[in-house]
Amino acid sequence: MTPADATVPSPLATRIVDLAAISRNIGRLAARTGKEVMVVVKADAFGHGWLEVAKTALDSGAAWLGVATVDEALRLREAGIDAPVLCWLADPWTRLADAVAAQVTISCANTETLNAVAAAARNAGTSALVHLELDTGMSRGGAPVADWDALCGAAATAESEGLLSVTGVWSHLALAADPDPLSTETQRLAFESGVAKARELGLAPAQLHLANSAAALAHDTTWFDVVRCGASVYGIETVRGVSHGLEPAMRVVSRVTQLREVAAGTGVSYNHAYVTDRTTTLVLVPVGYGDGIPRDLSHGGEVVIAGKRHPIVGAISMDQLVVDVGETAVSLGDEVVLLGRPDLGEPDAQEWADVTGTIAHEILTGLGGRMARSHIGATYIGAATL
Ligand SMILES: Cc1ncc(COP(=O)(O)O)c(C=O)c1O
């Protein structure tokens, strides 16, 4: 590098997101369920890039985008996306007036939020789009069954005043990936009785939705009108032990930045938790937990260099990790594959999750820090300008 090059960004690791893989995964979900697909693009589309994924989703036939926060929903609108967007974590202290004006579909799980949405619509002289969320057994979000009638009644009143329209009713599953469908069936029955009650109280929701990825793949009784899919869109197989042919969309690569040959008995990294048992070659890779590489991968994590798997050894630091490549011929600058395609023998987010005792969702949303991100395989109009 010459001094002039020093102003050019020189990322030490890159997340390469294959939008064509995302598009094919959406196609698989639509073909399997025959229902409208809501692609969940919250948390920066699980780290894959909210705008690129949103555009890919709509270009691939998704009918809906799903987000958690009002700000995520409004960002989509500000980017010119006018497709249906559901936002499920609105509360009276969020930008409800903007969300109502932007025709974001706002999920309401209590009368306080519903009344605030109705007030925003009244002030703007418009009508808001609302989906009501019922808690059918997850005990996280959603109206408890005991509050459901009051919520539906308040919604019916506001609807009769022209302040809002309840276009959907939904709930979320706690155990959809569980091979024992009992809990899912129990939630489905509770959902159906909640929908019946909503209809009895005068509402006419056209979009019913319950299924997340695992249910969209494994429980056809939960499909209703729309399936809300996150993990599967990004290629995570959430039904353990079963492959549905999903393709991991994110590849994480770095490079060999230092090499050293060391003798047997050499302690490696902080606290020398790893000590070499033979003469070997250690490679430095310039990423660490500051970039979202879980520190727990220090025990059992592997990368691919020169077409072979090698163990991460010693404590992963904030910016660096060490790999023991043994006798494999490795050169400075060689590519290091941190996450890739399991069908090619490369680790994926699920493997990291298994090693570190978490779920692949957390791995993917945690990656970032100083890593660059690039997108390949875009098909939508305007892709080149993103
Ligand atoms: C309310 C809701 N629906 C759907 C999803 C998508 O779930 P999955 O990633 O398992 O498909 C999520 C995601 O985390 C969610 O919070």
Side-chain angles (χ1 to χ4, degrees), residues 13 21 36 55 66 82 90 104 119 121 129 131 158 170 179 193 238 240 246 258 266 268 282 341 375:
E36 289 191 348
K55 291 190 174 197
D82 56 9
V104 170
L129 298 169
H131 282 197
W170 72 285
S193 66
T238 53
R240 295 313 294 274
L246 302 170
Q258 277 187 44
T266 303
V268 180
L282 300 177
R341 288 178 45 183
H375 291 91

Side-chain angles (χ1 to χ4, degrees), residues 69-102:
T69 71
V70 169
D71 287 351
E72 288 174 320
L74 290 173
R75 196 164 54 168
L76 289 165
R77 288 287 184 259
E78 282 151 18
I81 291 177
D82 56 9
V85 173
L86 175 68
C87 154
W88 51 76
L89 278 185
D91 69 28
W93 298 274
T94 52
R95 295 158 64 199
L96 286 181
D98 292 338
V100 168

Side-chain angles (χ1 to χ4, degrees), residues 13-14 22 187 239 298 323 357 382:
T14 305
I22 288 178
Q187 284 197 254
V239 184
S298 305
V323 177

Side-chain angles (χ1 to χ4, degrees), residues 40 42 46 88 140 170 172 212-213 228-232 361:
V40 178
K42 63 179 181 172
F46 290 39
W88 51 76
R140 187 182 69 170
W170 72 285
H172 197 48
N212 60 359
S213 290
R228 296 187 312 273
C229 298
S232 51
H361 303 59

Side-chain angles (χ1 to χ4, degrees), residues 21 42 61 73 111 124 132 155 158 207 217 255 257 275 302 318 345 374 381:
K42 63 179 181 172
T111 49
L132 298 181
Q207 283 114 19
L217 294 166
R255 58 181 174 265
T257 215
V275 179
E302 292 183 338
M318 191 181 293
S374 63
I381 294 166

